[in-house]
Amino acid sequence: MKIVRFIPKGGNEPVYGVLQSETTAELINGDIRGNYQTTGQTAEIKKLLVPVEPSMICAIGLNFAEHAAEFNLPIPDYPVLFMKAPSAIQNPGDPIEIPTHLASHQVDYEAELVVIIRKECKNATPENALDYVLGYTCGNDVSARDWQKEFGGSQWCRGKSFATFAPLGPCLVTPDEIPNPQNLKLSSTVNGELRQSSTTANHIFSVRDLIVFLSGSTILPAGTAIFTGTPSGAGLARNPQVYLKEGDEVTIEIEGIGKLTNPVVEEVLKC
Ligand code: MG
């Protein structure tokens, strides 16, 4: 199933539904992390929202050999973990804001498969790791490279956590539709121009490996989002480097999930 969270036409409160067409969904009753039923009632989608509001966002750096190679970095022995602020989420279709108050001049895109954890998870095993998956969605690990690399005191969190830097969507695809998350094509385009193109078959650490590693002696609360890493071709690695600017439009597409598109604007300072 492709589950969407949205504001229905004629309503103001978010609801969940199973996607039927680009503009309609069958409403769901209950908790998508536990017991729920479809109602047989169709609603028109007025506004798509992030499919889940994550309790925690774990993100993995350098999970594609081609991406490590373009920075002349060795393939890591263990997954490289950093955190993004859950308050950085952004809905499909809503803008990525280039920071102007704490200004950045190097805002970049990163296409990533995102895994959502269904129930609290600690010390998962290779055998049961995928049982914890609620579903999969597209993510854009938006990154201010200047704050990530030069001004962040060697920590990536600052440059990865600005408001709107974690677009998610357009839907959550349940694991029965993606029994093997390691064979999905993923890409990014900016203004229709292809920038990244790869497949999750090239992950250094698989989704299964990541859940085992991240939950080791660590609690992953229900609703944790895991950004699983990006392939080569981000703006930082291009020659010449090219960063996002107001007026751009970024699309992340993953096979079997769909397209996540966000326009780019500059942060407007309120007096
Ligand atoms: Mg990333």
Side-chain angles (χ1 to χ4, degrees), residues 59-63 67 82 84 109-112 140-143 145 148 156 160 227-231:
I60 304 301
L62 305 177
N63 201 25
H67 184 51
F82 63 92
K84 285 174 81 78
Y109 52 84
E110 292 188 355
E112 308 204 8
N140 188 346
D141 177 18
V142 182
S143 308
R145 301 301 187 193
Q148 180 187 354
W156 292 2
K160 298 275 192 177
F227 279 65
T228 58
T230 204

Side-chain angles (χ1 to χ4, degrees), residues 33-243:
R33 292 180 197 157
N35 291 322
Y36 62 88
Q37 308 82 34
T38 51
T39 62
Q41 188 186 347
T42 295
E44 277 192 58
I45 298 169
K46 183 167 78 177
K47 168 79 186 120
L48 266 184
L49 304 172
V50 287
V52 292
E53 294 183 303
S55 54
M56 179 160 97
I57 301 179
C58 298
I60 304 301
L62 305 177
N63 201 25
F64 283 80
E66 56 194 81
H67 184 51
E70 68 187 347
F71 297 118
N72 293 316
L73 292 170
I75 290 176
D77 294 331
Y78 296 97
V80 175
L81 168 65
F82 63 92
M83 312 299 276
K84 285 174 81 78
S87 58
I89 54 169
Q90 183 57 302
N91 298 313
D94 284 347
I96 295 163
E97 296 182 5
I98 295 172
T100 58
H101 177 74
L102 193 57
S104 171
H105 303 285
Q106 296 185 345
V107 174
D108 206 353
Y109 52 84
E110 292 188 355
E112 308 204 8
L113 174 69
V114 173
V115 182
I116 306 294
I117 295 295
R118 177 169 59 88
K119 59 180 181 179
E120 185 174 292
C121 174
K122 182 170 181 276
N123 295 332
T125 64
E127 291 72 31
N128 69 16
L130 294 184
D131 296 343
Y132 289 94
V133 176
L134 177 64
Y136 300 94
T137 190
C138 304
N140 188 346
D141 177 18
V142 182
S143 308
R145 301 301 187 193
D146 35 14
W147 287 100
Q148 180 187 354
K149 300 177 83 72
E150 286 173 68
F151 313 138
S154 81
Q155 304 295 305
W156 292 2
C157 180
R158 173 61 286 174
K160 298 275 192 177
S161 290
F162 289 109
T164 75
F165 272 29
L168 289 173
C171 59
L172 188 71
V173 182
T174 50
D176 56 309
E177 285 198 15
I178 302 183
N180 176 13
Q182 303 309 141
N183 64 356
L184 306 174
K185 290 179 188 148
L186 80 168
S187 67
S188 65
T189 59
V190 177
N191 305 328
E193 178 189 301
L194 186 66
R195 296 288 182 85
Q196 295 178 288
S197 178
S198 188
T199 155
T200 56
N202 294 329
H203 276 165
I204 297 169
F205 300 103
S206 67
V207 169
R208 183 189 306 265
D209 294 338
L210 292 176
I211 294 170
V212 170
F213 177 78
L214 294 171
S215 70
S217 304
T218 304
I219 295 167
L220 302 182
T224 296
I226 303 170
F227 279 65
T228 58
T230 204
S232 61
L236 169 69
R238 305 187 83 83
N239 187 13
Q241 293 179 344
V242 55
Y243 293 107

